[in-house]
Amino acid sequence: MKQQRLETKLFATVGSRLTAPEAWKAADKEIGYSEAVEAEGRAATAESIVADTLWKTPAHSLSGATAKLHAIVSRWQPSVTSDEYPWPQLRAVIADLLKIDAEMSFHRNGLHRPAVPETRGASRDG
């Protein structure tokens, strides 16, 4: 993101790298575009290494498996609100798994969820 913003600023400031290479270099040095590109590359490499480790590490709990699924969705979906198949469906599965895990935690710890009043159908009074 930062790299794209800086590239846009460079184009607005000096135009194309091909038509004004010296001006581009000077503006780049001042703005920090090349530095941002390098930092983005380092971050992408680190993310790949961590992701590979995550995929290779077996999950030992429902929370762990849910976290792995969430990492997949976070890494590859085009946007957090994408309506394209399969992203909404995968987000729904993650929500279901989180709810199941929370309910299992309540039961494991001897806790009970408060009763939720029934909201379907007609009133009992009338």
Side-chain angles (χ1 to χ4, degrees), residues 64-125:
T66 304
K68 288 174 82 167
L69 182 59
H70 182 267
I72 290 168
V73 171
S74 296
R75 184 166 177 164
W76 282 291
Q77 71 180 335
S79 76
V80 295
T81 58
S82 174
D83 288 333
E84 288 182 38
Y85 177 84
W87 307 116
Q89 294 80 5
L90 288 170
R91 289 191 300 268
V93 169
I94 292 169
D96 291 344
L97 291 170
L98 289 171
K99 182 179 176 191
I100 291 166
D101 188 45
E103 289 172 358
M104 288 173 60
S105 292
F106 274 108
H107 292 295
R108 260 193 317 268
N109 295 323
L111 302 172
H112 301 286
R113 299 188 101 187
V116 178
E118 190 171 314
T119 57
R120 292 187 213 153
S123 167
R124 294 178 193 242
D125 295 335

Side-chain angles (χ1 to χ4, degrees), residues 23-80:
W24 180 279
K25 284 181 189 176
D28 177 14
K29 194 171 188 174
E30 184 179 319
I31 292 171
Y33 167 73
S34 292
E35 210 173 282
V37 170
E38 289 174 18
E40 193 173 277
R42 288 190 303 274
T45 299
E47 180 184 32
S48 291
I49 291 168
V50 170
D52 287 343
T53 302
L54 178 66
W55 311 144
K56 291 175 185 173
T57 305
H60 295 286
S61 67
L62 186 57
S63 295
T66 304
K68 288 174 82 167
L69 182 59
H70 182 267
I72 290 168
V73 171
S74 296
R75 184 166 177 164
W76 282 291
Q77 71 180 335
S79 76
V80 295

Side-chain angles (χ1 to χ4, degrees), residues 14-30:
V14 296
S16 168
R17 180 189 313 224
L18 299 174
T19 58
E22 293 307 314
W24 180 279
K25 284 181 189 176
D28 177 14
K29 194 171 188 174
E30 184 179 319

